[in-house]
Amino acid sequence: MTLSRRRSISKPMEWPESRAAAVSLTYDDGLPDALDRAIPDLEERGLRGTFYLTTGKRCVRRRAADWRLAFERGHEIGSHSAHHPCRADAYPRPPRWLEPEMRLEGWSAGRMGAELDEAADWLRDNIGEDPWRTYAYPCGATAIGAPPDETAYGEAVRRRHFAARAAGGGPNDPATVDLLRIRSLMCVRPAIEDLVRFCEEARSASGWAVLMFHSIGGWRLRTRRSVHREILEFLVRGSFWVAPVRDVARHIAERRD
């Protein structure tokens, strides 16, 4: 984990197998339909995804054995924290599900570190060792405290993870991407045309498209399963390198080194 997160690449990125662009498919929270729908859809097409688990959730812990099997079959299992803390000031009014003790405005660097350690310990003990484990910021929030402190949160993440996915922005430019702030498209009831357009934008720039899903065919921040299958078919037919976040980030970092 000593590779540079920020150093630029002096020549255009060469993706494996001469692919035109990279795409990573990510799934947040560890919802049951990720195991029951997303993973079967991926494996049917020979693909592997990145699954960010909120390790304190009962639905995650109940199916720890299934998540471990997914890891052993080549899917990336990353951290989405232990308890999913978010910033209340990101919303016009604090949502009812965001308890006061889970609001990052009141968190210190020490508390954030303990939160990340708890998740890391659970993943190590229940999923398996991964020296290249990556992180996804819950709610896309990248700062703790008031006023917002991105430096302290970022340092806590950097000490425990190889790379981290944020929320929002276009496809990533491999020459300049900050591997602790990887941009992604949040997919909430997406139309297939929007997903295709995002991936095509990455292809036109030899970039890296990261899609952020939650529920596949369920109810929370939902993507219809038919749309999920359509985008997978599009990627399989296209000239994309479809790989977990960990693998693409390593590919970039190794060329920076």
Side-chain angles (χ1 to χ4, degrees):
M1 293 194 186
T2 60
L3 298 174
S4 170
R5 269 70 156 187
R6 293 179 180 274
R7 193 183 311 150
S8 64
I9 299 169
S10 59
K11 61 181 180 179
M13 174 58 63
E14 295 181 1
W15 298 114
E17 301 177 5
S18 299
R19 300 291 183 170
V23 176
S24 294
L25 304 161
T26 71
Y27 305 80
D28 285 10
D29 298 336
L31 302 175
D33 54 56
L35 285 165
D36 298 335
R37 300 186 183 117
I39 286 179
D41 287 352
L42 289 164
E43 292 187 353
E44 183 179 335
R45 295 159 179 83
L47 304 176
R48 294 297 181 267
T50 297
F51 296 85
Y52 289 114
L53 306 189
T54 305
T55 62
K57 283 183 174 288
R58 283 178 292 178
C59 66
V60 170
R61 292 178 174 246
R62 278 198 299 264
R63 300 192 65 178
D66 293 330
W67 285 115
R68 186 179 185 96
L69 287 173
F71 178 64
E72 292 171 352
R73 292 200 303 272
H75 297 281
E76 179 185 4
I77 307 298
S79 173
H80 201 36
S81 79
H83 304 100
H84 207 282
C86 297
R87 294 194 69 86
D89 60 12
Y91 301 89
R93 63 178 65 180
R96 286 179 293 178
W97 54 262
L98 183 54
E99 301 293 337
E101 64 271 17
M102 287 293 107
R103 298 176 185 178
L104 289 172
E105 288 87 339
W107 282 42
S108 66
R111 185 174 180 187
M112 193 71 245
E115 171 79 9
L116 298 180
D117 284 341
E118 181 180 342
D121 290 346
W122 191 91
L123 290 168
R124 182 196 63 230
D125 295 342
N126 293 275
I127 303 302
E129 292 278 4
D130 186 350
W132 305 98
R133 186 151 273 143
T134 68
Y135 181 71
Y137 296 93
C139 303
T142 57
I144 58 175
D149 185 349
E150 289 196 348
T151 300
Y153 194 174
E155 179 60 22
V157 171
R158 186 196 64 77
R159 288 200 302 269
R160 297 164 176 86
H161 304 88
F162 166 60
R165 194 215 65 202
N172 297 278
D173 179 350
T176 59
V177 60
D178 179 351
L179 294 180
L180 291 172
R181 293 286 190 279
I182 299 165
R183 300 190 298 184
S184 65
L185 176 68
M186 184 171 178
C187 305
V188 181
R189 300 180 183 274
I192 184 60
E193 293 81 7
D194 296 331
L195 302 183
V196 168
R197 188 179 305 113
F198 189 74
C199 295
E200 290 282 17
E201 185 180 347
R203 177 156 55 186
S204 67
S206 298
W208 178 19
V210 180
L211 302 181
M212 181 207 305
F213 297 105
H214 289 76
S215 175
I216 303 300
W219 60 274
R220 184 177 177 275
L221 302 176
R222 178 170 67 95
T223 296
R224 284 185 295 143
R225 192 173 187 186
S226 60
V227 170
H228 184 248
R229 288 170 165 169
E230 282 185 78
I231 191 59
L232 300 187
E233 289 292 338
F234 167 77
L235 294 172
V236 168
R237 293 194 306 269
S239 56
F240 297 98
W241 178 38
V242 182
V245 169
R246 170 195 60 206
D247 297 354
V248 180
R250 285 187 67 184
H251 183 82
I252 292 171
E254 287 164 1
R255 279 144 189 81
R256 289 179 178 178
D257 194 53

